[in-house]
Amino acid sequence: MAAHMRRRLRRGATTTAVAAAAVAALAASQAPAATLSEGSAGGDPQAAGEDTASGGNDGAATGNSPYYTDLPPLVTPDRPGSSSNLPAAGRAEAGIPATILAAYKQAERTVATTDPTCRLPWQLLAAIGKVESGQAGGGRVDADGTASPRILGPALNGQGFALIKDTDGGAYDGDAVHDRAVGPMQFIPSTWASWGQDANGDGRKDPNNIYDAALAAGRYLCANDRDLAVSADLDKAVLSYNRSTEYLNTVRSWLSYYQRGTHEVPDGAGTLPTTPSTPLPTLPGPRPGSGPSVTPSPKPSPSKPGGKPSPSPSKPGGGSTSPTPIPKPPTPPTGEPTPPAETFGSLENAGTGPLRATAGASFDERVSVRARNALGAPLAKAPVTFTVTGDTGTLFAGGKKTVVVRTGADGTATAPELRAGEKAGEFTVTATAGIGRPRTLTYAATVTARQADAIARTDDKELVAVSGEKFTDAVTVRATYKDAAAPGVAVTATMVKDRLGVIDNDKGPYFEDEAGKPVRTLTGLTTDADGKLRLPDIHADGEAGTYLLRLTTEGGGSVVVELTVKAPAETAPEEPASPKAPKATETPQAVKP
C-alpha cells in the first residue's frame, strides 16, 4: 500500500517459501523479476538499503498494509513497445484504464518539470497502482478521476498489520479508531497530510483522486534526492512505499512488464485480481481480511483467515482454480469525506504592520498569517483561529472576540477588521492553526485615547469671583481634531503658575472633590458628542489676584484661562455734620444790652 506504513509481520521460513513460490511463478511465466536476497524475509527492506521519504523512520506510505493483486500474467508482451498480436490474457493485463493512464503520464511530466534529476517513469506509478489497487479497481473512477466508491485498505489495528491509531478522525478512511490506507495509491492519512497534492486543480487534495494520488506518489518516490534511473535508488524508493522485499519484487516485475508495452482500455474495463497474490501472516486468533476494499463492499479476500495461498490466481487453501466472481459493487455512498486539516510546517506573519488605533476607531491594519505545509508550500483551506485578549474592549467586526478564517490558495488568512474599544491600553491578537501540535503567532496591539489637537473657550467672558465665593460664570471649552468636533476626548484641568503649565499652583482658585475638599487638578473629564466640556464649579480662596487654569487634551490641544479673584468691597464710615457758617455778606445784628 502507500507510503508510510508500519512493517508487516512477515518473518521466517514461511515467508521465504512464499517468496520462492512467487519467483518460481515469475520464472515459469518468463516475466522479469528482481531476485530475492538469499535468506531475506518479506518485510525486511534493509538488505536493499531501504530509506524512507520521512527521513529513515520505521514507516512507509501505505503503513505496510498488505497489497492485493495478481502477479504479472503468464504471457507478457512479445516485443518491447508493442501491445499488438498478444494472446488474450497478455493483452488484457497490459491494458491500463484511460483516466488512470492519463494520470500517471501527467504525474511523470509534472515531476520532470519540478524535479528533473529524479527521472520518474510513469510505468513505476503504473506498477505501484497495479499492486496497490489493481489500477483503481480496473478504472472505476468518475469523470474527474475520483475512485467511486472510494478504495480502503484493512484497519491497521496491529492484528497481522501495523498498529496505527486514527490520525484523521475518520475523515478519509471512515475509521475513527485506526487508520486505513486510502485511494488508488493507498496512502495512509498521516502520510497524505504531508504529501498530498492537488494535481487536477479542483482546490482539493484528495487521496481518492487518481491525478492527486499519482502526483503525490511520484513526489514521494523522488524524495531524498533519488535518481530512479539508478537501480539502488529505485529499490529504496519502492521500499519506502512498502517495507517488504516481496513487495519490491512484485512492483519490479510489473514495472518491467509495463515497460515492454501497454495500451489504453476504457475506464472500468481493466482486469481485476481474484485473490491476493501476497499471503497474510499466520497469527493466532481472529484477524481481519486482506487487501484494500471498495467501500462499502470490500474486494474478495481469502475464504479463511491465515494460511498461505499460492501466488497464482487461485483460491487460498487449495480447491478449484477457477476465478472467484467479483461481486457487483453496491451504490456508492453519497457525499464526500471532509478532508482533515493538513499537517502544518509553519505559520508566519503575512505582512501585518503595527496595530494601533484611537479608542472607538477602526484599526488600519488587519492581522494576516500564512500557513505552509511540511514541504514549505502554501497550505490552502486550513482553518486559522484569531482571538483578541485584553480589557480595552477591542473586538473584531461583528462584535466577536474569536473568529475562524480559512486560508486561501496562497496559504494566507486575514482576520476581520478590528474595532478599538473605549479604554486605552494594550492587548494581543493570537492566531492559531494546526491539529495535534498547533502553531501560534501573537501580535501586540495598542489602543490610544481619543485625541484633539485644539481646545478653546466657547465664549470670551471675563471670569471674576470675590474671594471666598464661587465664580459666577462656568468655564466651557470645545475640543477639535483637524477642525472637526472631537467627542469623547479626555481633558485635564490644572491650576498653574505659568502659561506653559510647568509649575502647579497650590493657592488660589480650586475645585472640590466628592468629599468637598479643595483640589487644583481634575482628570477624567471627557468632551461630549459635540466636543464640548463644561467644567465643575470653581471656588476662589481668600487671596485676591490673577490666576491661571490650563486645560490639555490627548493629541496636544491646550488652552490657558485667566481667573480673577477680587477682595470683598470695603464699606466707608459716615462723616459727622459740621455747623453752618455765616455768609460773608451777612451783617451781624446788634446785640441789645
Side-chain angles (χ1 to χ4, degrees):
M1 297 222 156
H4 225 75
M5 302 229 176
R6 302 296 177 213
R7 180 169 306 179
R8 282 179 297 166
L9 303 178
R10 297 192 175 196
R11 291 288 185 266
T14 303
T15 302
T16 304
V18 174
V23 174
L26 290 172
S29 67
Q30 299 180 355
T35 59
L36 287 168
S37 300
E38 183 177 356
S40 66
D44 183 7
Q46 299 304 323
E50 183 271 347
D51 66 355
T52 69
S54 58
N57 61 10
D58 189 31
T62 62
N64 289 327
S65 52
Y67 44 93
Y68 182 88
T69 184
D70 282 326
L71 290 172
L74 298 180
V75 181
T76 57
D78 56 354
R79 59 181 182 273
S82 171
S83 61
S84 60
N85 301 319
L86 297 177
R91 182 175 179 82
E93 290 289 356
I96 298 178
T99 299
I100 311 302
L101 182 60
Y104 295 151
K105 292 183 175 180
Q106 176 178 296
E108 179 192 60
R109 292 191 299 269
T110 301
V111 173
T113 300
T114 59
D115 190 4
T117 61
C118 176
R119 294 189 281 186
L120 169 74
W122 66 261
Q123 292 91 341
L124 177 58
L125 297 175
I128 290 176
K130 177 68 173 178
V131 172
E132 294 296 346
S133 67
Q135 310 298 19
R140 294 179 181 177
V141 295
D142 61 19
D144 296 323
T146 300
S148 179
R150 59 182 175 174
I151 301 171
L152 298 176
L156 299 173
N157 56 12
Q159 300 182 41
F161 313 111
L163 174 60
I164 303 180
K165 295 184 178 179
D166 176 64
T167 60
D168 67 333
Y172 285 131
D173 55 18
D175 191 333
V177 179
H178 297 97
D179 269 347
R180 297 170 180 258
V182 181
M185 304 304 281
Q186 289 289 278
F187 279 91
I188 58 171
S190 58
T191 303
W192 184 258
S194 296
W195 292 90
Q197 304 289 314
D198 176 18
N200 64 351
D202 65 354
R204 290 189 59 199
K205 297 177 181 180
D206 184 359
N208 285 290
N209 182 274
I210 185 58
Y211 289 98
D212 294 356
L215 180 57
R219 295 199 187 285
Y220 185 91
L221 293 166
C222 288
N224 298 333
D225 298 322
R226 298 188 188 109
D227 181 353
L228 300 184
V230 176
S231 181
D233 278 4
L234 179 62
D235 287 350
K236 291 177 181 178
V238 175
L239 287 168
S240 76
Y241 213 85
N242 192 312
R243 296 168 59 89
S244 163
T245 306
E246 295 170 23
Y247 180 84
L248 170 63
N249 288 339
T250 306
V251 170
R252 277 280 204 167
S253 296
W254 280 109
L255 170 61
S256 179
Y257 177 73
Y258 285 136
Q259 285 176 330
R260 291 189 177 193
T262 61
H263 62 279
E264 178 183 300
V265 298
D267 289 346
T271 59
L272 289 171
T274 57
T275 61
S277 63
T278 52
L280 296 171
T282 301
L283 294 176
R287 45 158 304 124
S290 66
S293 62
V294 179
T295 302
S297 177
K299 288 185 179 180
S301 56
S303 58
K304 58 183 179 180
K308 291 288 179 175
S310 168
S312 61
S314 60
K315 292 184 179 181
S320 173
T321 59
S322 59
T324 302
I326 300 173
K328 182 179 179 181
T331 304
T334 59
E336 290 291 333
T338 302
E342 194 170 349
T343 301
F344 274 76
S346 64
L347 189 66
E348 59 191 40
N349 187 355
T352 306
L355 296 172
R356 301 191 190 96
T358 302
S362 296
F363 283 76
D364 292 333
E365 286 284 330
R366 293 169 65 182
V367 178
S368 184
V369 299
R370 179 175 289 106
R372 297 186 183 277
N373 64 19
L375 299 178
L379 187 60
K381 298 186 178 180
V384 180
T385 302
F386 296 93
T387 304
V388 173
T389 303
D391 60 355
T392 64
T394 300
L395 299 170
F396 290 111
K400 297 181 179 180
K401 296 192 71 171
T402 299
V403 295
V404 178
V405 180
R406 289 189 175 271
T407 56
D410 61 351
T412 62
T414 302
E417 181 182 69
L418 282 166
R419 182 80 178 181
E422 291 298 333
K423 183 178 179 181
E426 296 183 348
F427 68 96
T428 60
V429 179
T430 302
T432 306
I435 298 175
R437 290 193 310 117
R439 309 301 196 267
T440 60
L441 284 178
T442 300
Y443 298 80
T446 303
V447 176
T448 59
R450 293 174 183 262
Q451 298 183 350
D453 54 16
I455 185 169
R457 288 187 62 195
T458 58
D459 59 61
D460 56 0
K461 291 181 179 179
E462 183 180 6
L463 298 170
V464 179
V466 175
S467 178
E469 299 182 8
K470 293 190 295 186
F471 284 78
T472 55
D473 294 311
V475 177
T476 304
V477 294
R478 181 172 183 266
T480 58
Y481 184 72
K482 296 182 178 180
D483 297 327
V489 174
V491 178
T492 299
T494 306
M495 301 296 175
V496 295
K497 291 184 176 181
D498 60 291
R499 288 186 173 272
L500 295 178
V502 176
I503 304 174
D504 292 351
N505 199 344
D506 59 355
K507 292 182 172 52
Y510 59 89
F511 303 101
E512 287 185 350
D513 63 14
E514 293 180 355
K517 295 181 179 180
V519 292
R520 290 183 170 83
T521 297
L522 283 183
T523 58
L525 304 171
T526 306
T527 59
D528 63 15
D530 296 323
K532 294 181 178 180
L533 170 66
R534 178 189 173 101
L535 268 63
D537 291 339
I538 302 175
H539 302 263
D541 66 0
E543 189 173 341
T546 300
Y547 298 89
L548 301 177
L549 169 64
R550 188 170 188 261
L551 295 98
T552 59
T553 67
E554 291 286 343
S558 67
V559 63
V560 175
V561 179
E562 288 189 357
L563 302 173
T564 301
V565 177
K566 293 184 176 181
E570 296 180 2
T571 304
E574 185 177 351
E575 296 181 2
S578 56
K580 186 176 180 181
K583 295 181 181 180
T585 57
E586 290 183 356
T587 302
Q589 294 180 359
V591 179
K592 292 182 178 181

